[in-house]
Amino acid sequence: AIKCVNYSSDLNLICTGSWDCSIKLWDPRTNSCTGTFNQPDKVYSMSVAGDKLVVGTAGRKVWVWDLRHMNNVQQKRESSLKYQTRCIVELVCWYSQNSLKESFSGLDATLKFPYKDLVLVVACFDFTPDKPENNMLSLKSGDILAIVDRQECTLGWLKAMKRTRIGYIP
C-alpha cells in the first residue's frame, strides 16, 4: 500500500513511498513507473526539496536520495527518536514555527533555519581551510551541506551547515 506521495516540480516526477519497502518514481506525462528503489524498511514519510528526496522508514532510518541519480543513497542516518521518521515534514515545519520546549523541557527555541528555506548542495571537490579558526568548513568531495544564508554571500563564500557545524564554504 502506498503511504506517501510527493511531486518534484523541478524534475517533473511523482514519488511514491510504500509499506512494501520501496520508493517508486513516476513520469506524470506517460503515467509510467520509471524506477523502483528498495528501502531498509516500510516507508513512513518522505519530502522533496529541490532535487533531493528525504525518506523516513520504520526502522528509524532517514535516507537522502538525489532524484537525478537514484543509483546511490546520498546520506544514511538513524534517528534516536522512536517515532520521528513517521512525520519528517510535519516535525520540521512545526518546530520552525513553534518552540521546542513543548516537547523538550528546558529547550526554549525554534528551529533557526526553516526547512523550506534550506538548499542542499553537494561538494564537488575537497577543501581544507588554511586556518581552522576562520569559520570555514572543510569539505570532502560528496559531502552534503545545507546553504543557510544566501544573503550573506561575500566574495564567493556562502554560509552553510555541515552536520551540526555552521561556517563558510567556497
Side-chain angles (χ1 to χ4, degrees):
I2 293 176
K3 173 71 172 134
C4 43
V5 177
N6 281 112
Y7 175 69
S8 169
S9 59
D10 291 353
L11 301 173
N12 195 26
L13 285 173
I14 296 173
C15 310
T16 60
S18 67
W19 283 24
D20 70 354
C21 305
S22 71
I23 295 288
K24 291 187 179 186
L25 302 182
W26 301 84
D27 183 346
R29 295 168 298 208
T30 63
N31 295 330
S32 61
C33 179
T34 60
T36 302
F37 306 92
N38 293 325
Q39 304 300 297
D41 286 299
K42 293 179 182 178
V43 176
Y44 278 159
S45 65
M46 62 185 186
S47 180
V48 172
D51 57 5
K52 301 291 185 250
L53 176 66
V54 181
V55 179
T57 67
R60 297 189 337 230
K61 305 279 191 290
V62 178
W63 285 13
V64 179
W65 296 86
D66 183 338
L67 286 168
R68 296 168 300 164
H69 309 285
M70 291 286 289
N71 51 345
N72 291 320
V73 180
Q74 294 270 309
Q75 283 188 35
K76 293 181 181 181
R77 305 284 175 130
E78 185 166 334
S79 170
S80 60
L81 301 175
K82 188 172 184 181
Y83 298 108
Q84 174 194 5
T85 58
R86 293 188 184 191
C87 54
I88 288 175
V89 176
E90 293 84 357
L91 182 70
V92 174
C93 290
W94 170 261
Y95 287 123
S96 66
Q97 301 295 319
N98 299 284
S99 175
L100 293 166
K101 73 179 179 182
E102 308 213 358
S103 298
F104 305 98
S105 62
L107 189 57
D108 188 10
T110 54
L111 291 177
K112 188 171 183 178
F113 308 108
Y115 173 72
K116 64 182 184 243
D117 295 339
L118 289 181
V119 173
L120 297 177
V121 296
V122 178
C124 297
F125 54 86
D126 294 348
F127 172 75
T128 305
D130 294 335
K131 299 176 185 175
E133 66 272 0
N134 60 5
N135 291 335
M136 292 184 195
L137 296 175
S138 61
L139 303 174
K140 291 195 186 305
S141 181
D143 282 351
I144 296 178
L145 303 108
I147 304 300
V148 296
D149 191 352
R150 284 175 269 170
Q151 307 303 323
E152 204 174 307
C153 178
T154 55
L155 301 174
W157 295 90
L158 292 172
K159 192 172 188 180
M161 180 170 50
K162 180 181 170 187
R163 295 192 183 103
T164 59
R165 186 161 181 254
I166 297 174
Y168 292 91
I169 61 171

